Amino acid sequence: MKIINSILTWVMRKRIHQIDLFIKYPHDVQEELFLKLIHSGKDTEFGRKYHFSDINTFDRFKEQVPIHSYEAFFPYIERLMKGEQNVLWPTEVKWFAKSSGTTNARSKFIPVSQEALEDCHFKGGKDLISIYVNNYPETMMFQGKGLAIGGSHQINEYDPNANSYYGDVSAVIMQNLPLWAQFIRTPKLDIALMDKWEEKINEMARLTADENVTNISGVPTWTMLLLKKILEIKQKDNILEVWPNLEAFFHGAVAFGPYRSLFKELAPSSTMRYCETYNASEGFFGIQDQKDSNELLLMLDYGIFYEFIPLEKLDREHPTTINLGEVELGKNYAMIISTNAGLWRYDIGDTVKFTSISPYRIKITGRTKHFINAFGEELIIENAETAITKACTATGAIMVNFTAAPIYFEKGKRGGHEWVVEFAQQPDSLHRFTQVLDETLREINSDYDAKRYKDIALQLPIVHNVDEGTFYRWMKKRDKLGGQNKVPRLSNDREHLDDILQMIDTLSGSNRQATSE
């Protein structure tokens, strides 16, 4: 195994000079990629509609092709899912990455071409390892196995020829991994891609507890649950007593900060390394390339052309984008992408801030809308408003205002969502209100539903029923009264919610009703 470790470490480090190339010549690399994408897409239906054959500059591209949301792309994607080809991209599309829903659908489906798999997602995974072994040449991670917690996939029932599939992007990647990559990972695919989360966690824990696991890749939420299950099976206090050679956790999808202290308890070692990635259904965008910083190196040669909209201009009817060479440090931008899977000028809904421009490094600063994504549930405002309206209708309530935030994991406690709701007319049962709220969220948001499955990751929401006038007093306290100031519906941290609850406790001595599981 030492020989294999040495060989694989050497192979992985060879990619570094290519990474150095796009770091040194970022604009040349992006311009070359842009022209290649346009040439590839010119004979697709989308390319013909927007006259790609006439496009030879970025400015011309902006003039002829509008920015597209998922809703705007949906008619094209729906046809792809029904088996049509050459709609958005010239080569056959057989896979779709499924992620949380939008305003018009429970889930959204992102096309994944073979080029996107090979030149983006797989390349990102290999580069993650390349950067890691370059930073830590003494690594022994290939002497054991990597544990990856994937999602699940299924045959695309919309395709009459049953010739395509959809699933979580992790499942799409794992199902298509080359043989050499399957050799150094655990558990077997049939376990890693199970669709019943409770059974999957139990089986993964049982089967990997006796493996020599040296590295883990996954979302912090599910990884933590798996590690706790393994400790329960092995009757150990921390995971290093089970896997003494564990050295790295490669994580993404949700902010790691709230989980850091818990992972230090689970893996109490000063040599444990944590590396962040920015990998989404739409593509692999960034990798932490520095030992002492969680800033993400923007990966520029993955078949993705980047544009950016300054956040303050996002609400304009036709916002103007800028290219990579025009971005400024410390400014929030909405990210627009064109990809080798046929997403053209696609608004992915993420906001980023550049922390460096030589090389280009970013931090993810949030979503273009208020949201809760503490556990990968990607709860958007439309979800919340739909659910709370249905809960009011079911219980005869009239709502004045609400806000919600996550309950982060603490030792011995589960995560969840906490709501503060002010009613003009009380629900006939606060418990029933909470149940309908939760049930509706599960119906309309597949990622929330997955995290709520048998209370594995999220418990039933806690809802605080507060006195009338509470939000008025809180907004007044913050000097935010007035028509242009709105109560934040959803927050991914607890700043607003804790401030409201503290104000209530101070004024009324905890005079509020709350429901919990």
Side-chain angles (χ1 to χ4, degrees):
M1 290 300 291
K2 286 185 178 180
I3 295 175
I4 293 175
N5 186 80
S6 298
I7 293 172
L8 287 175
T9 299
W10 176 76
V11 169
M12 288 297 178
R13 292 183 71 185
K14 288 183 68 178
R15 161 68 178 161
I16 294 299
H17 80 276
Q18 293 175 291
I19 295 174
D20 289 339
L21 190 66
F22 78 66
I23 286 176
K24 190 174 182 180
Y25 304 106
H27 308 132
D28 293 337
V29 168
Q30 277 281 283
E31 184 177 1
E32 181 181 344
L33 193 152
F34 165 71
L35 294 173
K36 183 179 179 181
L37 287 174
I38 293 299
H39 179 75
S40 296
K42 66 183 177 63
D43 293 323
T44 64
E45 182 173 320
F46 191 94
R48 292 193 300 271
K49 178 179 179 179
Y50 291 104
H51 307 289
F52 277 23
S53 58
D54 298 334
I55 296 174
N56 55 14
T57 65
F58 174 51
D59 287 339
R60 192 73 174 266
F61 186 49
K62 292 195 292 182
E63 289 173 9
Q64 293 185 197
V65 184
I67 294 170
H68 282 68
S69 64
Y70 180 79
E71 288 81 4
F73 262 121
F74 181 71
Y76 300 102
I77 293 173
E78 185 177 38
R79 290 170 55 194
L80 280 171
M81 292 194 72
K82 290 179 178 178
E84 290 188 52
Q85 295 296 335
N86 201 41
V87 178
L88 294 170
W89 188 250
T91 61
E92 186 178 20
V93 176
K94 297 178 63 175
W95 284 92
F96 299 85
K98 178 184 175 185
S99 63
S100 64
T102 63
T103 54
N104 69 343
R106 186 171 186 263
S107 298
K108 61 181 180 180
F109 299 90
I110 304 298
V112 182
S113 66
Q114 191 61 37
E115 290 87 347
L117 273 174
E118 295 286 346
D119 299 332
C120 184
H121 292 290
F122 290 168
K123 197 173 186 178
K126 287 186 283 188
D127 283 357
L128 173 63
I129 302 301
S130 296
I131 289 170
Y132 180 81
V133 299
N134 191 61
N135 284 338
Y136 304 101
E138 73 281 6
T139 179
M140 293 295 172
M141 66 183 295
F142 297 116
Q143 285 195 254
K145 291 190 175 183
L147 186 152
I149 306 174
S152 61
H153 67 79
Q154 65 187 75
I155 293 174
N156 172 19
E157 69 270 21
Y158 303 104
D159 184 350
N161 298 316
N163 194 38
S164 60
Y165 307 84
Y166 64 77
D168 299 331
V169 68
S170 58
V172 174
I173 293 169
M174 289 170 68
Q175 183 64 52
N176 289 278
L177 282 174
L179 285 176
W180 69 265
Q182 302 287 9
F183 176 73
I184 59 173
R185 59 163 303 282
T186 188
K188 294 181 179 179
L189 278 182
D190 59 341
I191 302 300
L193 300 180
M194 287 174 63
D195 58 354
K196 295 181 179 178
W197 281 100
E198 188 176 46
E199 293 179 23
K200 175 191 286 193
I201 293 294
N202 288 335
E203 280 297 291
M204 287 187 71
R206 184 179 65 83
L207 292 171
T208 61
D210 295 318
E211 292 272 17
N212 177 26
V213 172
T214 58
N215 63 96
I216 305 171
S217 301
V219 179
T221 315
W222 292 115
T223 303
M224 184 171 59
L225 292 169
L226 176 64
L227 298 185
K228 288 183 176 180
K229 178 60 68 174
I230 290 171
L231 293 179
E232 179 184 316
I233 290 172
K234 301 296 284 187
Q235 296 186 331
K236 299 294 184 180
D237 293 326
N238 71 74
I239 201 64
L240 296 178
E241 295 177 1
V242 181
W243 298 326
N245 298 316
L246 180 66
E247 62 175 81
F249 178 36
F250 304 105
H251 58 86
V254 297
F256 188 63
Y259 300 94
R260 190 172 295 276
S261 60
L262 283 171
F263 272 88
K264 285 184 177 179
E265 290 182 1
L266 291 168
S269 170
S270 59
T271 60
M272 184 71 182
R273 298 153 185 160
Y274 298 95
C275 300
E276 187 166 349
T277 66
Y278 183 9
N279 187 18
S281 300
E282 296 86 355
F284 205 127
F285 306 124
I287 298 172
Q288 178 182 331
D289 67 319
Q290 302 171 100
K291 293 181 181 181
D292 57 353
S293 172
N294 63 356
E295 297 170 11
L296 299 164
L297 179 68
L298 189 63
M299 310 306 286
L300 302 179
D301 64 347
Y302 284 9
I304 300 171
F305 178 72
Y306 294 98
E307 301 174 59
F308 303 92
I309 302 174
L311 202 56
E312 68 273 13
K313 298 180 180 180
L314 186 62
D315 292 334
R316 296 181 181 181
E317 186 176 357
H318 299 293
T320 301
T321 63
I322 59 176
N323 62 21
L324 195 63
E326 300 173 279
V327 300
E328 300 174 31
L329 289 176
K331 196 170 184 177
N332 272 315
Y333 295 99
M335 196 159 73
I336 309 298
I337 59 172
S338 297
T339 77
N340 52 6
L343 296 177
W344 302 104
R345 304 203 76 204
Y346 179 73
D347 180 358
I348 65 172
D350 287 346
T351 59
V352 300
K353 180 184 294 183
F354 282 86
T355 58
S356 167
I357 56 174
S358 183
Y360 286 102
R361 291 195 182 99
I362 59 172
K363 281 191 174 182
I364 306 166
T365 55
R367 298 283 291 173
T368 53
K369 298 180 180 180
H370 289 263
F371 67 101
I372 300 179
N373 192 33
F375 312 95
E377 68 276 42
E378 297 189 9
L379 191 74
I380 60 176
I381 290 177
E382 288 88 345
N383 298 157
E385 291 179 338
T386 299
I388 205 163
T389 299
K390 191 169 182 179
C392 284
T393 301
T395 59
I398 298 174
M399 186 272 300
V400 175
N401 243 319
F402 76 92
T403 192
I407 305 168
Y408 284 107
F409 284 118
E410 295 179 11
K411 192 172 184 179
K413 296 181 180 179
R414 286 172 295 172
H417 291 174
E418 190 166 6
W419 296 64
V420 172
V421 185
E422 180 180 327
F423 296 100
Q425 182 171 308
Q426 294 295 316
D428 55 26
S429 166
L430 189 59
H431 180 70
R432 175 63 181 151
F433 177 93
T434 305
Q435 284 184 318
V436 176
L437 179 75
D438 179 60
E439 289 165 3
T440 306
L441 290 175
R442 296 187 68 168
E443 288 171 7
I444 62 179
N445 185 314
S446 57
D447 286 334
Y448 178 89
D449 183 47
K451 306 304 183 292
R452 281 282 293 122
Y453 179 74
K454 294 192 177 181
D455 297 339
I456 295 177
L458 294 177
Q459 64 178 338
L460 188 73
I462 293 174
V463 177
H464 296 278
N465 181 355
V466 299
D467 293 339
E468 282 193 65
T470 294
F471 281 95
Y472 179 90
R473 290 192 294 272
W474 181 64
M475 295 292 278
K476 183 178 181 179
K477 176 172 104 55
R478 298 170 63 235
D479 196 25
K480 294 291 185 180
L481 291 178
Q484 297 304 309
N485 295 302
K486 299 177 182 178
V487 172
R489 293 303 197 200
L490 302 178
S491 302
N492 209 38
D493 59 51
R494 293 184 56 87
E495 179 183 356
H496 295 316
L497 189 132
D498 283 343
D499 191 39
I500 293 171
L501 294 180
Q502 183 180 17
M503 182 196 75
I504 295 168
D505 290 345
T506 300
L507 292 175
S508 60
S510 303
N511 184 26
R512 52 186 160 88
Q513 182 187 3
T515 63
S516 59
E517 188 175 12

